[in-house]
Amino acid sequence: MKKILLIATGGTIASGMTENGLSPQIDAEELLSFLPEYAEICDVDCIQPFSVDSTNITPGHWLKIANVIEKKYTAYDGFVVTHGTDTLAYTAAALSCLIENPEKPIVLTGSQRPISDADTDAKKNMLDSLRFAASGHQGVCVVFGGRIIDGLRAKKIRTKSDDAFRSINAPEITAAKKHSKNVKFYYNLCRDVFLIKLTPATDKSVFGFAKRFRGVVVEGYGLGGIPDCYLDKVIELAENGTVVAITTQVMYEGCDLSVYEVGRQIKGKKGIIETFSLTAEAVTAKLMFALGQTDDADRIQQLFIQ
Ligand code: ASP
């Protein structure tokens, strides 16, 4: 039987009602005790590196999860990380960068209602995750609401319903994927990254403020267009050494700076990274990862193309 490590980190799935509202209350073992059926799928050991509402997740938590997986890597056939849904897409993207080419499944899951609720979606999500973790898949993925999504492609699209995640700009995973590469763990993330979501009323001074960061993600419009009034500011930011990653506010189909004048004006400029089909969550995690490895803008662009 496959040996799976359950890494519980909190979230709604482990929450109970308190006088101050829902918050994580139960540990990994207790979570597993709701699922006696797991014993027919795999052997499971439990570990609980921390227990938080995922609203409170920071890059330090991502590194901690990656560290647990690295330490236990040879002892297990796969890993299931239970996590709050609110920032799960960021954690999945960060782990996809920090753990390159895993030969084992690393599955993130959670639920919209606590596992102790009569109508919980947690049991299905956990059993689906354990089944997929025992499948021999090689990579980081999100299993949720009956869908299997690559770790760099997940986005939370619903705040309440079971079917809460979508795969953005990539097909869902339908069967275990294999590769013939070797795993590599990374340990550095740059936290000095900021995100600007443009509105028609955004004040130009935001770009002056952004100068203090090593990386800035700009959520432009449509295919990634940047309004003329900010053009000089964005170019100046990049010329001053801040890496500027352009993404879009639109959920599907990504950006392409080659189509409109408002995109071409910045396309290919040094220090400006075009992020194509990645979500803003994935772009943010990837930029933090890339700047954790190098300062070189060309190398960073390469990391985005990979
Ligand atoms: N606020 C919760 C969290 O992200 C929501 C959830 O888990 O569904 O931890």
Side-chain angles (χ1 to χ4, degrees), residues 3-17:
K3 258 184 100 178
I4 307 300
L5 183 64
L6 173 63
I7 306 172
T9 71
T12 294
I13 195 165
S15 287
M17 191 49 85

Side-chain angles (χ1 to χ4, degrees), residues 9-15 22 24 52-57 83-88 109-113 121 144 156 158-159 164-165:
T9 71
T12 294
I13 195 165
S15 287
L22 278 176
V52 296
D53 186 303
S54 80
T55 306
N56 292 318
I57 289 274
H83 193 288
T85 59
D86 290 344
T87 62
L88 190 146
T109 194
S111 67
Q112 294 281 51
R113 287 175 303 289
D121 52 330
F144 205 103
K156 184 173 179 182
R158 290 199 170 87
T159 57
F165 283 85

Side-chain angles (χ1 to χ4, degrees), residues 10-18 21-36 82 110-126:
T12 294
I13 195 165
S15 287
M17 191 49 85
T18 72
L22 278 176
S23 70
Q25 302 289 324
I26 65 172
D27 65 15
E29 263 98 16
E30 209 178 330
L31 210 49
L32 198 60
S33 73
F34 282 89
L35 298 172
T82 54
S111 67
Q112 294 281 51
R113 287 175 303 289
I115 200 160
S116 53
D117 279 17
D119 65 342
T120 186
D121 52 330
K123 291 182 187 171
K124 175 180 166 41
N125 288 345
M126 278 191 75

Side-chain angles (χ1 to χ4, degrees), residues 28 157 178 211 213 237 287 298:
I157 60 152
K178 310 268 183 189
K211 277 186 191 158
F213 295 94
L237 194 60
L287 189 56
D298 294 335

